[in-house]
Amino acid sequence: MDMPVDGVGAETPLPAGAYRPDRRRYHGRFNTLGFLTLLGREIKRLRKLAMLFLVAPGLSAALYFTVFAFGLGDKRGTPEGDAILAFLVPGLVTLSLLTQSVQIPSFSILYAKMEGAILDQLMAPVGAAEMLAAYVLSAMAAGVASGAAVWVGFLIFWQAPMADPALVLLFVVLGSSMMATFGVLTGLISVKWDHLSAAMTFVFTPLIFLSGLFAPVAGMPRVLRAIVQANPIYYAIDGVRIGFLGQGQDQAALAVLVLVAVNVALLAIAGTLLHRGYRLRN
């Protein structure tokens, strides 16, 4: 322990966190230790919310599946009915993944802002890149865990093998990162819980239901089909569906291109807002 000498010759210990001019800490362009610390904090928080992003989405997906299965009526158990359920399962898995990916970071950032905890982060040597990476990766982890839990639950009642696991993994990563970054933006823009609720209700929910989740776009009117195909969530769901079934409604290459472009744009916007401290300092 540093023991500086005061004016009368007595040695007094420096308090915790005191400035020590003899110690110089150099952080590169990316503070790895700060990033890992923030990421660890978010992962620990997720462990306490396991019931929220694992059990609850599984129950919701099971209810959706049950309603559709019984809604098939006489077609249940026929090749046509099985095709409908096979189309539905990848969509429900992706729905759970995307929902948790967007909710986790938006809640975390808004809670930290409202409780004043965000000020401790801003005083630490952690920049926009470290904050963005920590929030996005932790949200992706929650989303992937949620989607995996739903898929495993479906395996108990319905065989849902993957035609191309690598393709499924690719679209899971692209889709979850896109929605996690969107969640970061939502948390930054929101000032109170009403704002967050409004974003989920009037932005995220319509995007989900206009994404080809429950019905193929081929049978939609031309205008509605154009709206759905302009929605980036459509390409995340369709990409996962291609990985599961071996075929989808569009080409996998097009879906990858769209998702990469949207990810780059969202990350650039979120990084810029974090760097400026948008709605963080006040």
Side-chain angles (χ1 to χ4, degrees):
M1 179 181 296
D2 296 318
M3 304 289 287
V5 180
D6 61 14
V8 295
E11 294 183 346
T12 57
L14 287 175
Y19 174 63
R20 293 176 170 83
D22 58 315
R23 296 184 182 180
R24 296 185 179 274
R25 297 178 180 178
Y26 294 95
H27 303 290
R29 296 179 64 87
F30 187 87
N31 185 350
T32 304
L33 179 60
F35 157 70
L36 293 176
T37 302
L38 183 56
L39 178 62
R41 187 199 70 179
E42 291 300 304
I43 295 298
K44 288 180 181 178
R45 191 175 64 84
L46 291 178
R47 290 166 56 186
K48 298 179 180 180
L49 300 174
M51 291 290 291
L52 175 65
F53 68 87
L54 290 179
V55 179
L59 292 176
S60 298
L63 289 174
Y64 275 121
F65 186 81
T66 302
V67 168
F68 274 88
F70 282 98
L72 291 174
D74 296 336
K75 294 182 180 180
R76 189 169 64 251
T78 64
E80 184 179 3
D82 290 344
I84 293 175
L85 294 178
F87 177 88
L88 183 65
V89 168
L92 292 177
V93 171
T94 313
L95 171 63
S96 177
L97 180 145
L98 299 180
T99 302
Q100 299 309 312
S101 295
V102 71
Q103 287 181 348
I104 292 296
S106 58
F107 175 87
S108 180
I109 292 175
L110 180 57
Y111 180 81
K113 287 163 60 175
M114 296 190 68
E115 294 297 320
I118 196 71
L119 298 177
D120 295 330
Q121 279 182 219
L122 296 177
M123 289 188 292
V126 178
E130 295 90 331
M131 291 175 62
L132 181 59
Y135 282 124
V136 169
L137 288 177
S138 60
M140 289 174 62
V144 171
S146 178
V150 171
W151 177 58
V152 171
F154 276 136
L155 289 178
I156 299 174
F157 307 101
W158 179 264
Q159 294 300 314
M162 295 183 185
D164 191 340
L167 200 59
V168 171
L169 179 61
L170 173 63
F171 283 105
V172 162
V173 170
L174 291 174
S176 61
S177 63
M178 175 181 69
M179 297 312 298
T181 311
F182 181 73
V184 171
L185 286 170
T186 304
L188 289 174
I189 294 171
S190 301
V191 177
K192 52 186 179 179
W193 295 115
D194 290 345
H195 296 163
L196 181 58
S197 178
M200 295 300 168
T201 303
F202 298 110
V203 178
F204 178 67
T205 300
L207 287 175
I208 282 293
F209 283 94
L210 292 174
S211 63
L213 173 62
F214 299 113
V217 295
M220 297 180 182
R222 182 176 301 177
V223 175
L224 183 58
R225 185 190 312 166
I227 294 174
V228 171
Q229 290 179 327
N231 181 1
I233 295 179
Y234 161 76
Y235 295 97
I237 293 176
D238 193 52
V240 173
R241 190 171 280 137
I242 293 172
F244 269 93
L245 305 179
Q247 59 182 0
Q249 303 173 84
D250 274 298
Q251 296 295 322
L254 174 62
V256 171
L257 182 63
V258 170
L259 291 176
V260 168
V262 173
N263 267 288
V264 170
L266 290 177
L267 287 170
I269 296 172
T272 300
L273 293 182
L274 279 171
H275 180 71
R276 294 179 178 178
Y278 181 76
R279 291 191 174 179
L280 292 178
R281 297 186 176 93
N282 298 326

